[in-house]
Amino acid sequence: MSYDLLKLAHLVAVILWIGPALGGYIVLFRVWRRGDEAAITSAEEDCERVLRLEHAAFLLLVVSGVAMLASTDWALLQTGWMAQKLLIFGLIAAFEAYDMWLSHRVLPRAFGVSSDPDLRRKALLQRAWLMRLAVPVGLLIVLVLWLAVTREPLG
């Protein structure tokens, strides 16, 4: 596959990764502020479906990124901006792995028919921490985008 097609797949993946996550978390944040347990449960279920797209896009983002590096015989790894981008991306990937686990394993169990209130409360606390971490991770995403656009190392 040509570098340009891989880059297009990478850009589409970025859009499908950031867009649903941003929209989903805005909705969740607004519902959480109201404090209505039934609305939170419904919003969490809807958000879980949306996050499937986001997480699939994240995987496409990783695969297309590695394929782009491979298509250049890994030469981009020698550039300062790419090294910085991959380092920052490693932090984002750790957050994303936690998000995937929480969204697709913990929360569905906590909001399932037979879940107990204590399990639900713990899951909601984990979601709250994830939402707080999303702000600095969002800033890291902006840094990655800046590095990709300018192709110049920070500092």
Side-chain angles (χ1 to χ4, degrees), residues 3 7 15 17 25 41 43 51 57 66 70-71 77 79 82 94 100 105 109 112 114 155:
Y3 183 83
K7 194 172 197 176
I15 293 165
W17 172 52
Y25 284 119
T41 299
L51 291 179
V66 170
S71 76
L77 291 176
T79 63
M82 181 58 75
M100 288 178 186
R105 299 285 294 168
R109 287 183 187 155
S114 63

Side-chain angles (χ1 to χ4, degrees), residues 67-141:
M68 286 180 2
L69 289 172
S71 76
T72 65
D73 291 325
W74 310 99
L76 285 175
L77 291 176
Q78 305 304 315
T79 63
W81 68 271
M82 181 58 75
Q84 288 178 344
K85 181 180 169 186
L86 291 175
L87 178 69
I88 295 167
F89 186 76
L91 297 172
I92 295 167
F95 170 84
E96 197 65 30
Y98 177 70
D99 182 29
M100 288 178 186
W101 172 77
L102 183 64
S103 297
H104 303 301
R105 299 285 294 168
V106 174
L107 290 167
R109 287 183 187 155
F111 287 93
V113 177
S114 63
S115 70
D116 67 78
D118 190 47
L119 183 63
R120 201 175 274 205
R121 183 184 61 74
K122 287 178 183 177
L124 289 175
L125 285 174
Q126 287 177 298
R127 171 65 88 193
W129 276 107
L130 183 80
M131 290 170 69
R132 286 184 186 101
L133 286 172
V135 173
V137 169
L139 296 174
L140 292 176
I141 292 168

